[in-house]
Amino acid sequence: MSSAVTAQARFSVLDRSRTRAGRAPAEALRDTVALAREAEALGYHRFWVSEHHGVPGVAGSAPTVLAAAVAAATRTIRVGTGGVMLPNHQPLVVAEQFAVLESLFPGRVDMGLGRSVGFTDGVRKALGRDTGDAEDFAARLAELLQWFTGGSPTGVRARPAEGMRVPPFVLAMGEGASIAARAGLPMVIGDLRDREKMLRGIDRYRSGFRPSAWAAEPYVVISGTVAVAGTEEEARRLLVPEAWSAAYARTHGTFPPLAPVEEVAARAMTARERQAYEASLAGHLAGTGEQVADRLETVLKETGAAEVLVTTSTYDRTALLDSYRRLAALFAPGRRRARDAKAAAAGDPGR
């Protein structure tokens, strides 16, 4: 079932520690660590966690702390963030945190970086930030990388960051593709539902890419929801809880915990809610293994991406794990591990 294109790609996981209705946020964090162990056993390349503040539906507010827990619970899978939102932090502190991670788990840490600020005005006020801070992302990114090379103009030395190499990735939202290109860094771009926008971002990234000490050539990671089940209907059910949360956020301004499929199906939605819900269900890679394999081959050929970062969330954790197992069956992990070892020896930025 696996095509040559799919077999050559890396597959990784981003888990956003989504909370579930009726369950404590702490359980979501433990679920993330448990999923990381499973992802490692299934042959996924990396496992990333996210940063959200003051969001009822997400427990992952401290990504480097959670990444440390994930790394401690695993042995070989790469661990990182998708991402640390750089406008929320001082670059020196971010460099120190990732350097500590790399010191404790050498050769396994990734530094995924984003330019978003708080979800609401209240969160931004609590963080001491505003929407304009995102405009300083390129400068903050450059400062962060300087802490690893020892080039800071302040005279301060970053300990233990100076001299370390923690692979940086830029999450491309809006101007992120151009920033990643100018900085010469690998880029993560989503989502799979808006293929034309994704392709424009990838083209902009590749055409503007400037080789750097971090990456000699462009490296593209595409991200989005991929759901695999025994039937197309079962795969669609996996999408329902997240689709309703997204629809509720668009219509009410609050991103809620995931609800069971049955609860969502029984809701009497307003016309506006229904429209947002149906839109949130559309465009994902969802279906049987054969269907998803065909769609993955298409998107990988269209984008030329080296890696797929899977971001699927659902209420039923058993069904979620089954989806990841079925997806893993499509990408021949044994063959990929041998290729990855060769790429790491050659200094591949996506290692």
Side-chain angles (χ1 to χ4, degrees):
M1 191 181 297
S2 173
S3 72
V5 174
T6 304
Q8 284 299 309
R10 292 173 168 132
F11 283 79
S12 299
V13 176
L14 168 63
D15 191 71
R16 289 178 291 142
S17 304
R18 291 288 275 113
T19 58
R20 293 184 285 167
R23 298 173 182 265
E27 185 174 345
L29 298 173
R30 294 191 291 269
D31 285 343
T32 292
V33 176
L35 181 60
R37 293 193 192 100
E38 296 287 353
E40 179 176 73
L42 291 170
Y44 285 89
H45 183 61
R46 43 181 129 243
F47 190 96
W48 283 4
V49 297
S50 64
E51 175 183 340
H52 296 273
H53 300 282
V55 179
V58 183
S61 56
T64 53
V65 176
L66 185 53
V70 168
T74 54
R75 296 186 304 108
T76 58
I77 195 169
R78 295 195 64 85
V79 176
T81 57
V84 163
M85 295 300 133
L86 198 51
N88 293 338
H89 310 281
Q90 291 300 324
L92 170 61
V93 175
V94 176
E96 290 170 337
Q97 290 174 346
F98 278 99
V100 169
L101 281 172
E102 176 65 18
S103 298
L104 295 173
F105 307 101
R108 293 179 56 202
V109 177
D110 301 319
M111 186 167 57
L113 305 162
R115 64 191 294 267
S116 297
V117 290
F119 189 65
T120 65
D121 288 340
V123 170
R124 289 190 289 271
K125 183 177 180 181
L127 292 170
R129 298 291 185 266
D130 59 44
T131 54
D133 286 307
E135 302 306 315
D136 296 330
F137 177 70
R140 285 176 173 269
L141 178 63
E143 180 184 342
L144 171 61
L145 299 180
Q146 284 181 340
W147 289 115
F148 288 94
T149 60
S152 172
T154 65
V156 175
R157 311 285 288 275
R159 313 287 189 188
E162 188 172 324
M164 282 189 168
R165 290 189 64 81
V166 181
F169 294 73
V170 172
L171 277 61
M173 302 294 289
E175 286 300 307
S178 297
I179 292 170
R182 290 193 297 269
L185 300 180
M187 177 187 71
V188 182
I189 188 167
D191 68 31
L192 294 168
R193 293 181 299 169
D194 193 341
R195 201 70 52 81
E196 290 303 317
K197 182 178 180 181
M198 175 184 280
L199 290 172
R200 289 195 300 271
I202 291 172
D203 287 344
R204 188 163 63 249
Y205 169 67
R206 288 200 173 108
S207 63
F209 186 84
R210 302 173 184 172
S212 72
W214 299 98
E217 58 188 24
Y219 187 89
V220 175
V221 183
I222 55 175
S223 69
T225 295
V226 182
V228 192
T231 68
E232 191 168 8
E233 179 57 30
E234 289 172 347
R236 182 180 170 86
R237 283 174 62 86
L238 283 166
L239 306 177
V240 166
E242 186 71 47
W244 170 245
S245 287
Y248 192 89
R250 290 191 184 99
T251 54
H252 296 269
T254 300
F255 197 65
L258 297 172
V261 173
E262 297 75 16
E263 182 180 313
V264 176
R267 292 190 69 93
M269 299 183 194
T270 66
R272 185 163 171 252
E273 288 172 341
R274 176 65 64 179
Q275 182 179 20
Y277 171 67
E278 294 294 343
S280 296
L281 280 174
H284 303 290
L285 301 188
T288 64
E290 185 174 357
Q291 290 170 327
V292 169
D294 288 343
R295 293 164 190 168
L296 275 172
E297 182 174 15
T298 297
V299 72
L300 286 168
K301 285 180 178 178
E302 286 178 350
T303 61
E307 188 169 341
V308 181
L309 182 66
V310 183
T311 63
T312 310
S313 296
T314 195
Y315 182 89
D316 187 338
R317 299 295 293 190
T318 300
L320 178 64
L321 179 55
D322 181 66
S323 176
Y324 276 117
R325 285 175 177 153
R326 291 174 183 271
L327 178 58
L330 304 181
F331 59 75
R335 191 185 319 166
R336 201 185 70 260
R337 285 196 191 100
R339 186 213 61 201
D340 286 347
K342 181 178 179 181
D348 181 350
R351 61 186 184 279

